[in-house]
Structures are given as structure tokens and as C-alpha cells.
Amino acid sequence: MVEYVGRFAPSPTGPLHFGSLVAALASYMEARAAKGKWLVRMEDLDRPREQPGTTDDILRALERLGLGWDGPVLYQSARAERYRGVLGDLLARGFAYPCACTRRELEDSALALDGARIYPGTCRAGLPADKPARAIRLRTHDAPIGFADAIQGWMEQRVESEVGDFVLRRADGIVAYQLAVVLDDMDQGVTHVVRGADLLDSTCRQIHLQRLLGARLPHYAHVPVAVNAAGEKLSKQTGARPLDLSDPQRELARARRFLGQSEDRWDLARVPRARSLAPGG
Ligand code: GLU
């Protein structure tokens, strides 16, 4: 019986770069060390931000790096019906509600840690007359939600006051990451989530949803995010260079060093307890 199911869930907004390699490698090594499964899932819901061909580029890069996955790749874009079904159910049970607020109308609300506005609850008790529904939000509560992260330690959040009722379906009709990731992890039987610490602040929201949906809670380990000298997360937008796939061993060695690992052994306890780090050469 497999007791460990891990995953790597890239968003195909650009080719694999050093930052995504770090998340891929850490989740892969943990799964292999536990003799578990390692799944790959394409988080391709945000079609407008997607570059054609990127999905295949990412898969070819993983192959080239020797990071072989188990089973078929799951594409979020193929799961619209599942997401819609759960949204309808959450609405029917009163856990979610339609919201008419525009971005502009929320401009006066305080900022959450992730830079989004803390939702003040305007449409909680019902849509204002004459205003059409735009997004769908989840009704949150303020009892603290906590979890023990295997790298970062104990994390806790009061979701209602620190985030607010968050979006499950955006005004453009696209299902929000928070809902998709929870349903995918649940349906794929993921037991261990190893990913970048930029998602640490999303985890309590995800746990709130998992509890509502009766999911088994996965274990979490958030590895430091690779940042540039200015402290910005490495990404295509911040000018991260694509991986040099002509020398995969060199890129892997660099990622291993970033994760605090020796050449020959994987040990999660050696991963630096930091939310972000600038990689060395
Ligand atoms: N798709 C997300 C990203 O590329 C990762 C989601 C997750 O691991 O939960 O940042």
C-alpha cells in the first residue's frame, strides 16, 4: 500500500526556471525517499496568462532532469465540471455566496499579507438590489486555523480577519486556485504537499476548505522561495533565466545546494527554515 503521495503542480506561465526546479526537486526527493508516488499536475486554469507550448516544455524539462513522475499528468483545464459541481454544492449549503463587489469598491479595504484586499463582507448577507453577481466567495470564520509545517514550524491564521471571505470563482468565471488545488489534492489522494513558501499564507485557507469538504488533511512542507538580489521571487517576470538543460546535472546540483543538501543524501531537516533565499552560483 502506498502511504505517501506527493506532487508538483506548476502553472504553465513560462518555461521551468530555477525557482520551479527547487519546488520540483524537493517534492520529488521527499516522495522518492518515502518510496511514495510523485504526481505532476498542470495548473492551467488561467488560460489568458498561459503561453502556448509551455506545458509540453515543462514536461520535457522534467524528463531531461531525470524527474520522472507516476501515472498520467492531471490537467486542471479538464476538470471544470468537477469544480462547478462543488461550487454549486457549497452555494446550496450556504458556505459560499455570490458577490457583486468590483475591485474598485474594495480599494479602501486593508491589505492582506499576499497583497490582496481583506474582504469586508459586503455581500455576505445577500447581493445588494440591482447589482449582478460577479465572483463567488467562501464564508470564513475567525477561529484560528493552524498546522505544523515540516520546515517552517507552527503556522496559524484567523482567516476571516486576516484574509476575509475569499474568492472561489473569479469575476471572469475562472475557478480560483484555492478551490482547484484543494479539490485536486483531495481527488488525487495527495498526502504530502511540498512546495514554495510563497504559498504558506494560502495554506490555512486551503485547510478551511478541506475541512468543509471532508478531505483528509495533507502534511505540509514549504521550502524557501528563490529570490533575486532585489528580493523578488524568481519568475519570468523578474527576468529569471531559463534552466540550462544542456547541463541538467549542474542545475540539479545548484538546486540541491539551495536546499541545504549534501551530494549523496536527501534530508528534509537540512532545508533552511526561511521563506526566501537568494541562490548561490
Ligand atoms: N501552481 C502553483 C505555482 O506554480 C503551485 C501550487 C501548489 O503547489 O499548491 O506556484
Side-chain angles (χ1 to χ4, degrees):
M1 203 184 85
V2 179
E3 287 173 355
Y4 187 113
V5 180
R7 50 53 158 201
F8 173 53
S11 307
T13 50
L16 212 61
H17 55 78
F18 184 74
S20 28
L21 171 59
V22 165
L25 182 66
S27 57
Y28 175 87
M29 293 306 287
E30 268 297 283
R32 292 295 175 244
K35 303 211 181 335
K37 285 193 181 166
W38 187 63
L39 312 177
V40 170
R41 176 168 81 228
M42 283 295 160
E43 303 217 319
D44 59 348
L45 281 179
D46 208 342
R47 280 285 166 80
R49 278 182 59 215
E50 197 176 314
Q51 303 244 328
T54 304
T55 298
D56 288 334
D57 287 352
I58 292 175
L59 296 176
R60 297 298 81 78
L62 290 174
E63 280 171 348
R64 181 99 184 102
L65 290 154
L67 304 178
W69 58 91
D70 298 303
V73 174
L74 184 74
Y75 291 83
Q76 287 190 330
S77 55
R79 293 193 16 97
E81 224 166 289
R82 168 72 169 140
Y83 304 145
R84 235 194 330 265
V86 172
L87 266 173
D89 189 47
L90 289 172
L91 282 167
R93 290 159 72 199
F95 291 127
Y97 61 88
C99 167
C101 298
T102 61
R103 199 176 288 261
R104 192 93 176 267
E105 286 164 334
L106 297 175
E107 263 170 15
D108 295 334
S109 304
L111 285 176
L113 281 175
D114 63 2
R117 298 286 166 185
I118 298 176
Y119 187 63
T122 322
C123 298
R124 245 188 179 191
L127 288 176
D130 74 4
K131 284 184 84 181
R134 293 167 51 83
I136 295 176
R137 292 181 182 272
L138 187 77
R139 202 180 295 277
T140 56
H141 61 66
D142 227 18
I145 293 178
F147 66 100
D149 189 89
I151 297 167
Q152 310 289 342
W154 181 254
M155 307 297 305
E156 196 174 280
Q157 203 174 44
R158 291 178 186 269
V159 176
E160 184 181 1
S161 49
E162 292 178 51
V163 180
D165 292 352
F166 56 91
V167 170
L168 298 180
R169 198 189 71 202
R170 303 178 348 194
D172 59 9
I174 295 180
V175 169
Y177 156 72
Q178 307 291 355
L179 177 63
V181 76
V182 164
L183 286 174
D184 295 344
D185 284 340
M186 180 175 158
D187 293 349
Q188 292 192 287
V190 169
T191 61
H192 290 73
V193 172
V194 180
R195 62 185 176 189
D198 51 329
L199 293 165
L200 208 45
D201 296 320
S202 286
T203 308
C204 294
R205 264 171 273 182
Q206 293 170 15
I207 291 174
H208 179 105
L209 263 173
Q210 285 157 357
R211 288 182 181 161
L212 270 183
L213 298 169
R216 196 168 90 179
L217 268 50
H219 299 272
Y220 288 96
H222 286 86
V223 301
V225 168
V227 293
N228 63 20
E232 300 161 322
K233 179 183 171 185
L234 294 188
S235 70
K236 213 176 81 209
Q237 289 73 28
T238 60
R241 65 168 179 81
L243 292 173
D244 175 7
L245 293 172
S246 70
D247 196 352
Q249 288 314 320
R250 188 160 159 262
E251 298 286 16
L252 286 165
R254 215 170 140 238
R256 229 181 282 123
R257 277 197 300 279
F258 178 87
L259 289 162
Q261 304 298 308
S262 60
E263 302 262 303
D264 51 349
R265 206 171 138 256
W266 170 257
D267 181 2
L268 191 74
R270 299 187 58 144
V271 175
R273 186 178 174 172
R275 288 198 183 207
S276 64
L277 279 179

